[in-house]
Amino acid sequence: MSWFLYVVRCDDDTLYAGITTDIDRRIAEHNGSPKGARYTRARRPVQLAGAWRFDDRSSASKAEYGFKRVGRDDKLRLIAGEALELAASLDLVRPA
């Protein structure tokens, strides 16, 4: 089973990152279910901005931690596929 680091763009143009095994289900939860994150419930609708595939939960969690530590500009560059060196350092080299 693959794990994914996913990033959504909220209605207020903020970004939210998380991990999941099913991106479509998780986006649906963020947009209309009590299972959606509290942060995104107040910022609906959300749209998928980017995603990366990992072999296991541990790798996805480590990548999520690293992604959340970089600034917004770098996050946008990562999503656009422009920050290759930074992406490699965070192990974000395999888009979903």
Side-chain angles (χ1 to χ4, degrees):
M1 172 188 320
S2 294
W3 281 82
F4 300 90
L5 164 61
Y6 67 94
V7 181
V8 296
R9 185 179 307 272
C10 300
D11 192 49
D12 65 355
D13 204 36
T14 58
L15 300 173
Y16 175 87
I19 63 171
T20 187
T21 57
D22 185 339
I23 295 173
D24 293 333
R25 174 189 50 81
R26 194 66 182 126
I27 299 298
E29 289 173 350
H30 282 303
N31 277 322
S33 166
K35 292 182 179 181
R38 180 176 293 170
Y39 183 84
T40 60
R41 272 186 247 149
R43 294 166 173 83
R44 292 176 178 163
V46 302
Q47 295 180 338
L48 183 64
W52 296 267
R53 181 186 312 268
F54 295 90
D55 293 332
D56 54 52
R57 182 180 184 150
S58 176
S59 299
S61 291
K62 288 175 186 174
E64 177 190 21
Y65 177 77
F67 184 87
K68 288 182 174 181
R69 293 181 52 88
V70 301
R72 180 179 170 82
D73 289 341
D74 284 335
K75 289 176 184 172
L76 294 172
R77 291 176 52 228
L78 286 165
I79 291 167
E82 297 171 355
L84 299 180
E85 189 173 307
L86 178 58
S89 72
L90 297 175
D91 196 28
L92 301 178
V93 293
R94 293 184 300 172

